[in-house]
Amino acid sequence: MSKVVIHGHTFKIKISAAEIHKAVSDVARQINIDLKDKKPLFLAVLNGSFMFASDLMKKVNVECEISFMKLASYEGTSSTGTIKQLIGINEDIKGRTVVIIEDIVDTGNTIENIAEQLKELGVSEIKIATLLFKPEAYTKTIPIEYTAIVVPNDFLVGYGLDYNGLGRNLADIYVLDYVADEKK
Ligand code: IMP
Ligand code: MG
């Protein structure tokens, strides 16, 4: 599928499933080297990161745990700036190496919020693994240790990312196609 229509807007393919899988493998390879003896806790941020987390974890071969937290900050196609916490952290994470798994780092509000909570809970080390990173939108200083794919500041859907709830199931990643929408 080279184009999809979601909520009346046309999206065109931007990153193929094959490209995604290669980039995810590269991140896993680096994690397998860096975190070999750290018994990390991977903390996947729902909903968006579920596909990335699943594919990444299948390629991670170090002794590790995985858990989930749920946050929401987006409405439509832009960040609201306020973050709602829907599922929190229940594990005893004091002294652990925690790897936050994100679908996309945009402004950085979400990862900053999570990183602050983790610090309060006494983790020894925080790393961030994100499928996508939008450097042009990033307003924070927290280093992003593992980025699979750097993207421009466009609105994307697919492979876990949604547009108002739809599109998460797409295997490829799509970008809004303004030109196709204007012709309608
Ligand atoms: P941030 O807090 O601004 O960094 O935004 C992070 C969250 O906003 C991500 O985890 C996504 O759930 C969502 N988000 C950011 N950019 C996009 C996008 O292009 N498409 C869909 N969701 C996005
Ligand atoms: Mg997310």
Side-chain angles (χ1 to χ4, degrees), residues 45-49 71 73 101-105 110 160-161 168:
V45 185
L46 296 172
N47 294 326
S49 76
L71 299 171
S73 70
I101 303 183
E102 259 288 26
D103 51 353
I104 183 162
V105 175
T110 308
L161 295 132
R168 294 194 197 275

Side-chain angles (χ1 to χ4, degrees), residues 94-110:
K94 211 167 174 212
R96 302 282 304 267
T97 293
V98 177
V99 184
I100 301 169
I101 303 183
E102 259 288 26
D103 51 353
I104 183 162
V105 175
D106 186 9
T107 62
N109 287 331
T110 308

Side-chain angles (χ1 to χ4, degrees), residues 5-173:
V5 177
I6 302 173
H7 291 303
H9 292 284
T10 310
F11 289 80
K12 61 182 175 188
I13 194 156
K14 172 93 176 167
I15 310 168
S16 70
E19 262 179 273
I20 296 168
H21 290 291
K22 187 186 171 298
V24 173
S25 298
D26 290 344
V27 168
R29 194 173 313 117
Q30 198 55 50
I31 285 176
N32 288 336
I33 295 167
D34 295 351
L35 305 183
K36 197 164 175 278
D37 301 308
K38 300 230 169 183
K39 212 193 264 191
L41 169 68
F42 289 91
L43 197 56
V45 185
L46 296 172
N47 294 326
S49 76
F50 78 98
M51 254 193 217
F52 174 47
S54 169
D55 285 340
L56 179 69
M57 294 314 294
K58 283 180 263 180
K59 296 171 191 215
V60 164
N61 58 25
V62 301
E63 189 182 23
C64 64
E65 286 178 60
I66 180 154
S67 188
F68 301 88
M69 65 187 298
K70 183 162 179 168
L71 299 171
S73 70
Y74 249 60
E75 259 168 36
T77 59
S78 62
S79 182
T80 60
T82 50
I83 296 164
K84 278 186 286 192
Q85 176 140 326
L86 309 168
I87 300 177
I89 304 159
N90 302 311
E91 279 68 25
D92 183 11
I93 58 173
K94 211 167 174 212
R96 302 282 304 267
T97 293
V98 177
V99 184
I100 301 169
I101 303 183
E102 259 288 26
D103 51 353
I104 183 162
V105 175
D106 186 9
T107 62
N109 287 331
T110 308
I111 51 161
E112 184 180 68
N113 178 295
I114 298 168
E116 276 165 15
Q117 294 190 49
L118 293 176
K119 276 183 208 151
E120 273 173 34
L121 293 168
V123 302
S124 71
E125 198 177 19
I126 300 168
K127 297 192 183 282
I128 293 153
T130 187
L131 174 72
L132 305 169
F133 176 44
K134 292 181 180 174
E136 292 158 31
Y138 194 55
T139 60
K140 308 295 174 188
T141 52
I142 309 174
I144 317 280
E145 197 97 18
Y146 306 108
T147 297
I149 304 167
V150 174
V151 290
N153 197 5
D154 298 321
F155 188 75
L156 304 168
V157 291
Y159 195 76
L161 295 132
D162 72 308
Y163 170 39
N164 273 348
L166 297 180
R168 294 194 197 275
N169 54 312
L170 297 163
D172 309 282
I173 292 175

